[in-house]
């Protein structure tokens, strides 16, 4: 039976790497995975999922206006799809998470979503909120803070390396802008 999975973590935990490994596993069995990533995340060039260890694959892009059920229905009609892999799934809307549940329940295609649970303020992203609510399986991918504890928070830094408390939820960036830390060090960085 097809299921929806939400693989969540802080940044730098290997989400994109794990997604690319899953895609490779499907392909080596002669199956057809489809990868999506957020159009707004253009760090490594549009239409690509890249991991920091150098693996990369082409991806379909999604933005907030896309009907992901309709797109998957069309693709699956043209050629049978065995699995849908979504990177940066924190940027999905509530409606799109619902559409992906329809991909699982009506098209019977497994959907594996990879993304952040919370933003730099410790608030849930919209996509993550509904994946936490509706996915069949929740899987935490772990990375560690500089102190050795599990890093479950992400700090956004200004140009001088100081933690920022306010700002837009979405700001694309990498190690220059964000650091994954444990909750204790997150609070300390924000002097709470
Ligand atoms: N050259 C490397 N060799 C091995 N591991 C690496 C290398 N570069 C980065 N990594 C590790 O890869 C992980 C980040 O992978 P990535 O899939 O991009 O993460 P995420 O999508 O969760 O942000 C980190 O744990 C990082 O330490
Ligand atoms: C914490 C946080 C992150 N983002 C952005 C920064 C990156 O572009 C992505 C996450 O990338 P990953 O390495 O693949 O996990 O999300 C953001 O927009 N707002 C935030 O609060
Ligand atoms: Zn720590």
């Amino acid at each position: 039976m097809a299921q929806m999975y939400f693989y969540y973590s802080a940044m730098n935990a290997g989400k994109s790497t794990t997604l690319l490994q899953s895609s490779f596993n499907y392909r080596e069995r002669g199956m057809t995975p489809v990868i999506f990533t957020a159009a707004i995340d253009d760090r490594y060039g549009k239409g690509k999922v890249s991991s920091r260890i150098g693996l990369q694959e082409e991806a379909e892009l999604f933005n907030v206006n896309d009907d992901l059920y309709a797109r998957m229905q069309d693709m699956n009609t043209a050629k049978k799809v065995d699995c849908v892999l979504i990177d940066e799934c924190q940027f999905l809307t509530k409606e799109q998470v619902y559409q992906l549940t329809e991909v699982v329940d009506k098209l019977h295609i497994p959907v594996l979503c990879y993304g952040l649970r919370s933003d730099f303020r410790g608030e849930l992203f919209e996509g993550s909120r509904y994946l936490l609510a509706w996915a069949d399986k929740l899987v935490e991918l772990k990375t560690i803070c500089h102190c050795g504890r599990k890093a479950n928070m992400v700090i956004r830094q200004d140009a001088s390396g100081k933690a920022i408390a306010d700002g837009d939820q979405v700001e694309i960036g990498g190690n220059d802008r964000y650091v994954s830390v444990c909750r204790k060090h997150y609070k300390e960085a924000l002097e709470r």
Side-chain angles (χ1 to χ4, degrees):
M1 197 183 66
Q3 295 198 320
M4 176 184 262
Y5 297 78
F6 179 27
Y7 294 89
Y8 65 91
S9 71
M11 287 177 69
N12 239 338
K15 295 184 294 297
S16 301
T17 309
T18 308
L19 180 154
L20 292 167
Q21 283 174 343
S22 288
S23 172
F24 185 84
N25 284 158
Y26 274 90
R27 283 191 206 288
E28 70 181 353
R29 286 168 178 76
M31 297 166 107
T32 305
V34 169
I35 301 177
F36 281 89
T37 192
I40 53 168
D41 194 343
D42 54 3
R43 278 176 293 171
Y44 306 103
K46 275 198 185 295
K48 258 190 246 165
V49 169
S50 297
S51 79
R52 291 181 176 86
I53 58 170
L55 297 169
Q56 66 174 41
E57 257 201 72
E58 286 190 7
E60 301 287 324
L61 293 174
F62 69 83
N63 62 50
V64 291
N65 300 315
D66 284 325
D67 180 336
L68 296 177
Y69 179 69
R71 281 182 68 182
M72 282 317 306
Q73 210 174 17
D74 290 349
M75 277 191 227
N76 193 46
T77 304
K79 182 175 194 287
K80 183 178 170 292
V81 173
D82 293 298
C83 172
V84 181
L85 301 159
I86 316 262
D87 206 10
E88 309 298 345
C89 64
Q90 69 272 11
F91 298 135
L92 294 167
T93 63
K94 175 181 180 180
E95 184 67 24
Q96 288 173 326
V97 177
Y98 187 81
Q99 291 158 6
L100 291 170
T101 67
E102 296 279 85
V103 170
V104 174
D105 297 336
K106 291 190 175 156
L107 303 181
H108 310 290
I109 302 172
V111 176
L112 283 62
C113 299
Y114 298 79
L116 300 175
R117 180 170 57 170
S118 54
D119 67 15
F120 72 106
R121 299 161 307 172
E123 303 288 340
L124 292 172
F125 285 92
E126 180 173 335
S128 314
R129 172 184 297 272
Y130 291 99
L131 283 162
L132 286 169
W134 297 339
D136 298 293
K137 294 258 162 61
L138 304 176
V139 184
E140 185 174 28
L141 300 177
K142 297 182 182 70
T143 188
I144 52 169
C145 177
H146 57 81
C147 70
R149 290 188 188 87
K150 183 176 79 176
N152 47 9
M153 312 292 287
V154 185
I155 293 170
R156 180 184 285 168
Q157 297 180 328
D158 65 17
S160 65
K162 195 173 171 346
I164 296 172
D166 297 305
D168 291 344
Q169 183 178 55
V170 179
E171 198 175 302
I172 301 308
N175 295 345
D176 50 324
R177 203 82 176 92
Y178 293 99
V179 187
S180 296
V181 291
C182 69
R183 190 174 54 233
K184 177 172 180 278
H185 284 116
Y186 176 82
K187 289 178 188 167
E188 281 180 20
L190 288 166
E191 290 158 357
R192 284 188 191 160

